[in-house]
Amino acid sequence: MSAKFAEQKYGRWETRMKTNARDPKYHPVLILNNNSAPNCAEIDYAEGSTVTSVMRFFLHYACGGADFQTTTATPVDSTQWHNYAVEWTPAGITGYVDGVKTFTDTNPAHQPSVAMKQTLQLDWFPDGSATKPSQMQVDWVRVYR
């Protein structure tokens, strides 16, 4: 599943999302990205992983190396509805879960230099074992300039 829309530089993006008791091979992701962004810039303001009790925030500002991202992890029961948000201003990038600030990066060198678009996706990382049915439900998405 993927949807891409609302390309802009700066603003606030909010999404209300939940999953079922998902298979750890399915990773729900709420992203701001641009495939032509230099340095692989990307803002993952909610990203699940094999650890299903945590949502991570990633700010990617380089394509690799020892210093390419800042990140944080927030304990979340993703089977319940939660509001995830990112606010991007010239002063920095801030992430929220249910209105509580969980991430901030004010380093100007980490700022994306191009407009980004909202992407919603449910990634699958198969490992050859059986996969149980998994769902990512999105109630709404809001984008503010």
Side-chain angles (χ1 to χ4, degrees):
M1 173 182 83
S2 180
K4 297 179 180 181
F5 52 90
E7 185 172 294
Q8 64 188 44
K9 187 170 183 182
Y10 306 129
R12 183 178 174 99
W13 292 258
E14 301 174 348
T15 304
R16 184 166 176 80
M17 175 184 71
K18 76 174 185 171
T19 68
N20 65 333
R22 65 181 172 86
D23 190 296
K25 294 183 284 291
Y26 278 102
H27 301 181
V29 191
L30 307 175
I31 302 172
L32 301 183
N33 66 355
N34 182 324
N35 292 337
S36 63
N39 300 325
C40 306
E42 182 175 288
I43 302 169
D44 305 323
Y45 67 97
E47 181 170 342
S49 69
T50 55
V51 181
T52 60
S53 61
V54 168
M55 254 332 145
R56 298 191 62 117
F57 189 111
F58 291 94
L59 171 57
H60 302 279
Y61 49 83
C63 295
D67 183 24
F68 70 99
Q69 68 183 10
T70 52
T71 186
T72 190
T74 303
V76 170
D77 176 0
S78 66
T79 66
Q80 301 299 310
W81 288 107
H82 293 283
N83 298 341
Y84 302 93
V86 59
E87 191 165 71
W88 174 24
T89 70
I93 296 170
T94 305
Y96 302 88
V97 176
D98 296 327
V100 176
K101 185 188 303 186
T102 58
F103 176 90
T104 190
D105 187 320
T106 57
N107 185 333
H110 296 173
Q111 290 269 334
S113 60
V114 297
M116 309 286 259
K117 62 184 160 283
Q118 170 72 68
T119 303
L120 310 174
Q121 58 193 55
L122 182 58
D123 293 344
W124 182 46
F125 297 93
D127 61 10
S129 65
T131 301
K132 70 179 182 178
S134 298
Q135 298 175 354
M136 172 184 171
Q137 297 178 355
V138 175
D139 186 29
W140 47 257
V141 175
R142 296 179 181 146
V143 181
Y144 303 90
R145 291 195 182 271

